[in-house]
Amino acid sequence: VGLSGPPGAGKSTFIECFGKMLTERKHKVSVLAVDPSSSTSGGSLLGDKTRMTELSRDMNAYIRPSPTSGTLGGVTRTTNEAILLCEGGGYDVVLVETVGVGQSEFAVADMVDMFILLLPPAGGDELQGIKRGIIEMADLVAINKADGDLVVPARRIQAEYVSAMKLLRKRSKVWRPKV
């Protein structure tokens, strides 16, 4: 499963909750978290493991942060091979968290069985996603943080994306993307 979305959408929080749910159901979960690299120093924070504290202590989970090292598309140049290694190592669910910063971070869509776009309910111009690009590649659009005062904006953005996705050409004859 590939996951992308803008900064602050809650990708790491979602992965930790989802991953814990899966391990409680006896799945072995691998998380490949991709972080952007500095164009100046080449370094990367690789902070996803520290944001997934509960999942990182789970014996049925493996979290591997990796820097992009200049690779475009939201993944590393070896993400596909890392997915295969995790599957070969006995992990039956592999979650790939992309850098997730814009309209073109969807290279992971060709590496996974399902590509999820996580969106916050009040991120500005909600129909930015109607631009061809990342929204066109999503198998599922999940509006995250849809509670409290954000319930109404979340319902609104959900309706906008349901309408917008009707305008996109279908990638599959058997699956219609959900919001």
Side-chain angles (χ1 to χ4, degrees):
V1 178
L3 293 114
S4 191
K11 294 181 295 293
S12 295
T13 304
F14 175 84
I15 289 171
E16 178 163 54
C17 292
F18 187 52
K20 287 297 293 175
M21 182 200 73
L22 290 168
T23 60
E24 287 168 4
R25 294 180 180 183
K26 307 299 182 220
H27 290 279
K28 285 189 72 179
V29 177
S30 175
V31 178
L32 302 174
V34 182
D35 281 335
S37 298
S38 167
S39 58
T40 306
S41 69
S44 184
L45 290 177
L46 304 177
D48 289 296
K49 197 167 187 173
T50 60
R51 288 190 303 225
M52 299 180 209
T53 53
E54 286 185 46
L55 191 59
S56 68
R57 290 191 297 258
D58 192 317
M59 295 305 293
N60 288 315
Y62 168 73
I63 301 173
R64 171 69 175 138
S66 300
T68 58
S69 301
T71 304
L72 300 176
V75 293
T76 71
R77 66 177 177 78
T78 58
T79 297
N80 202 44
E81 290 83 355
I83 291 170
L84 295 173
L85 283 171
C86 290
E87 289 173 340
Y91 292 93
D92 59 328
V93 178
V94 180
L95 305 174
V96 182
E97 179 185 2
T98 72
V99 170
V101 292
Q103 296 289 333
S104 61
E105 280 70 31
F106 55 79
V108 73
D110 292 328
M111 301 176 188
V112 296
D113 297 316
M114 174 165 269
F115 178 51
I116 301 173
L117 176 61
L118 236 59
L119 296 172
D125 183 2
E126 314 309 11
L127 282 179
Q128 278 294 320
I130 200 168
K131 293 179 183 175
R132 302 296 192 239
I134 198 165
I135 191 71
E136 205 169 34
M137 303 303 290
D139 297 307
L140 177 70
V141 176
I143 312 303
N144 203 15
K145 302 181 179 184
D147 58 356
D149 292 342
L150 296 175
V151 170
V152 172
R155 297 274 185 220
R156 183 178 39 78
I157 190 175
Q158 177 189 23
E160 289 176 5
Y161 273 88
V162 166
S163 294
M165 294 192 67
K166 289 177 185 174
L167 302 174
L168 301 175
R169 198 170 78 192
K170 293 168 184 55
R171 290 179 48 215
S172 168
K173 292 179 182 177
V174 295
W175 177 256
R176 179 178 299 176
K178 310 285 184 215
V179 180

